[in-house]
Amino acid sequence: MLLRPAVIASIVFAVSLPAAAKDLTIQGLSQDDFHKISQDLGAALSYKPLTPAEPLGLFGFDLGVAGTDTKIKNTDAFKNAGVGDISDIAVPSLRFNLGLPFGLDVGVMAGAAPSTNVRLYGGEVRWAFIKGSTATPAVALRASYTQLAGVDQLDFNTKGVDLSISKGFAMFTPYAGIGKVWVTSTPKNIPTTTPSEESLSQNKYFVGVNMNFVLINVALEGDKTGDATSYGLKLGFRF
């Protein structure tokens, strides 16, 4: 997948959702609209790797500022939820990964969708059961979790697992992976019983490249979760 220049620019300069965007409101939605919103939020707010499969090594770290931009499929459902005319969900975030023994890495992230009440935090545990070498690729298994915050009427989280592979070539490390995302989306603090909870799963595919320029690390990634496509960029330090 190729990252569109407009998407890269929007992430780098932290362009938010359109000015018309407002707080996400669940009350009054039909079950169908709520299902569609849960699908798109699952794609936009699930954990994005933005890192290759190879482990960081003991006390290695990857610290960066990131952004993802997800093209949503159900714009009318979001309009009915009070957020205005939007076609994308952009999520700038801070991310940190730390290397542990035995090929284990742990990571945390926190982000938000500007101009909305959507806040997000999450984390990952990744095990590179094949660490890779100059001749062989690294292969890793990841478990991830994200939790929505800031939306009074919605309790929303995602859980994910994926298998990824990467191989370094000088300062470039291409990577790819496949996995599954489970979404739990539960209305709360509303006086009616509708809409009701949505639990769904979505297939996940991603490709990317990590580029280390000694002092600066850059990761580019394309992700398809369910029917929605996301593009991501991370700038930071990786040692």
Side-chain angles (χ1 to χ4, degrees), residues 39-192:
Q39 286 181 315
D40 279 336
L41 288 179
L45 304 183
S46 56
Y47 197 87
K48 304 298 187 292
L50 290 168
T51 188
E54 65 182 36
L56 288 165
L58 184 60
F59 302 132
F61 70 90
D62 187 332
L63 173 66
V65 177
T68 60
D69 185 271
T70 302
K71 182 72 174 179
I72 63 174
K73 290 293 188 179
N74 301 289
T75 57
D76 287 343
F78 277 89
K79 186 183 299 185
N80 293 338
V83 297
D85 294 313
I86 65 170
S87 59
D88 300 73
I89 298 177
V91 183
S93 63
L94 296 174
R95 303 174 69 100
F96 177 71
N97 288 73
L98 178 67
L100 299 176
F102 311 114
L104 289 171
D105 286 5
V106 295
V108 293
M109 62 80 65
S115 299
T116 76
N117 55 347
V118 172
R119 305 291 180 265
L120 180 70
Y121 61 88
E124 67 161 300
V125 177
R126 180 164 43 89
W127 175 42
F129 57 90
I130 299 176
K131 296 182 181 180
S133 67
T134 55
T136 60
V139 183
L141 182 66
R142 179 189 351 258
S144 62
Y145 177 84
T146 62
Q147 176 70 52
L148 176 71
V151 181
D152 293 337
Q153 296 185 350
L154 182 62
D155 183 6
F156 180 95
N157 67 72
T158 74
K159 303 175 184 68
V161 295
D162 65 71
L163 184 69
S164 62
I165 185 170
S166 68
K167 178 68 177 72
F169 302 93
M171 63 184 182
F172 300 97
T173 305
Y175 62 91
I178 184 172
K180 196 87 170 179
V181 172
W182 291 268
V183 176
T184 302
S185 183
T186 308
K188 64 177 184 178
N189 300 327
I190 58 177
T192 64

